[in-house]
Amino acid sequence: MARYVANRLAQAIMLLVIVSAIGFAILHLAPGGPLSQFAVSGQMTQEDLDRVTRQLGLDRPLPVQYLDWFGRMLRGDWGKSYRDGEPVLSVISSHLGATLELMATATIVAVLLGCWIGILGALRRYSLFDTLATVGAMVALSIPTFWFGLVTIYIFSVKLGWLPAGNRQTVGDGSFLDLLHHLIAPAMVLALVETAMWGRFMRSSMLEVINQDYIRTARAKGMPEWRILTVHALRNALLPMITVGGLQFPTLLGGALVAETVFTWPGMGRLFLDSIGYRDYPVVMGILMFSATMVLIGSLLADILYAVVDPRIRVG
């Protein structure tokens, strides 16, 4: 088991280095740069631009810039924002809570609702409920998140006036009920696709389990149906969902970026887009590395947990 964890950890670190190198190269080779907005405005002379370029170290070769940035990152110095001079870690931490709040709420809703739909669909295969759930999942997976977000705002905010159109809280309020009121719409939009995915995966996993020989044997012995479903079927059907949960994290992050943009939610997704617009390379790279690390940790924990709970897996 220790060797398995060590191998997976080494693979994750190598992948993280590759992601950082590719992301750094794409950002710095893209047209424009952190000083392009000053050059366009004409408020700075060419001498001023050259001086700031040297101060930021942007005049050095790209490999040298990357190695310097990577070395400082390993020491805990992720640089400072070009936009306001704040440390990158402080900028990210100030927006992290809003993103985690949105993602956690959407995940809880998606897992509970999706698993319930999947289990019921598997037990009532080809019924009206199963057909409607299948059609609904296909529609949900086909709808772009930003479109569903705009429709949600139009119906529930503009027409009905039930939910706020954006932001995390009302200015001057900030109570729990106010925060919850603002959270409903973006969490519902973000949970839509996740619910469809969890429902489809759970239905397939449950169908595979309930057709196994040990389930038929349990029924032949006269075991109560509820015990067969909860103790034997559901327990084994949930095993593959551990891996699914780890693989869903990148999709959840991407959906959070879109949902935060549509609802002006002050999270990391919104910060990422704003930082790209300002060519704020340190913040963009910080968010990229933080997100990549979280994805790799989620995948690693899912693999380890699956190896622990499933005795059929043999690891050295």
Side-chain angles (χ1 to χ4, degrees):
M1 186 67 181
R3 182 180 301 176
Y4 173 78
V5 174
N7 290 336
R8 292 289 290 111
L9 185 59
Q11 294 173 9
I13 294 175
M14 182 61 64
L15 184 58
L16 196 62
V17 173
I18 295 175
V19 169
S20 68
I22 294 176
F24 194 90
I26 291 177
L27 281 177
H28 287 74
L29 294 177
L35 304 181
S36 59
Q37 54 184 329
F38 301 108
V40 173
S41 64
Q43 298 177 356
M44 299 179 67
T45 64
Q46 186 60 45
E47 291 75 13
D48 294 331
L49 292 175
D50 294 339
R51 184 181 67 257
V52 175
T53 300
R54 289 192 299 271
Q55 291 176 350
L56 296 178
L58 300 176
D59 58 332
R60 297 175 298 172
L62 188 60
V64 176
Q65 294 185 48
Y66 170 73
L67 292 176
D68 178 64
W69 169 83
F70 193 79
R72 288 187 288 106
M73 186 194 67
L74 293 179
R75 297 192 299 269
D77 180 11
W78 289 33
K80 293 186 177 181
S81 170
Y82 291 161
R83 185 177 179 182
D84 52 21
E86 291 292 325
V88 171
L89 289 178
S90 297
V91 175
I92 293 177
S93 62
S94 64
H95 293 76
L96 180 60
T99 296
L100 292 180
E101 176 185 321
L102 179 60
M103 291 177 59
T105 304
T107 299
I108 293 173
V109 172
V111 171
L112 295 178
L113 186 59
C115 288
W116 176 77
I117 292 175
I119 293 172
L120 197 57
L123 297 179
R124 301 179 180 179
R125 191 179 183 184
Y126 302 136
S127 64
L128 177 61
F129 176 85
D130 186 34
T131 302
L132 293 177
T134 301
V135 173
M138 295 301 103
V139 172
L141 292 173
S142 303
I143 295 178
T145 303
F146 75 89
W147 184 88
F148 185 64
L150 293 176
V151 171
T152 301
I153 293 175
Y154 178 76
I155 295 177
F156 294 99
S157 300
V158 178
K159 289 297 184 180
L160 300 177
W162 292 352
L163 299 174
N167 296 320
R168 191 184 182 190
Q169 64 184 37
T170 303
V171 178
D173 192 337
S175 63
F176 174 77
L177 292 179
D178 182 67
L179 293 173
L180 183 61
H181 195 209
H182 283 77
L183 180 62
I184 293 175
M188 180 175 61
V189 170
L190 184 57
L192 176 67
V193 176
E194 298 299 315
T195 300
M197 290 184 176
W198 278 96
R200 292 296 87 194
F201 282 123
M202 192 66 208
R203 179 182 183 275
S204 300
S205 181
M206 196 69 176
L207 282 175
E208 182 178 355
V209 168
I210 60 178
N211 291 322
Q212 296 295 322
D213 291 338
Y214 62 85
I215 297 296
R216 288 192 287 267
T217 302
R219 288 197 177 102
K221 290 182 176 181
M223 185 176 295
E225 189 67 18
W226 66 268
R227 183 174 177 81
I228 295 175
L229 294 178
T230 55
V231 176
H232 297 285
L234 183 59
R235 182 178 181 181
N236 289 280
L238 287 175
L239 288 176
M241 306 305 292
I242 297 175
T243 303
V244 171
L247 297 177
Q248 287 292 91
F249 195 76
T251 305
L252 192 62
L253 274 177
L257 188 149
V258 178
E260 289 178 2
T261 302
V262 173
F263 291 95
T264 60
W265 189 264
M268 289 179 58
R270 182 73 181 181
L271 175 65
F272 183 76
L273 290 182
D274 290 343
S275 300
I276 290 179
Y278 279 92
R279 300 294 196 276
D280 198 345
Y281 293 166
V283 175
V284 173
M285 284 302 302
I287 296 175
L288 177 63
M289 294 304 296
F290 183 84
S291 302
T293 302
M294 292 298 99
V295 170
L296 291 175
I297 290 177
S299 177
L300 180 62
L301 291 178
D303 290 344
I304 295 175
L305 184 59
Y306 193 91
V308 170
V309 298
D310 191 348
R312 294 171 296 180
I313 295 181
R314 297 291 182 263
V315 293

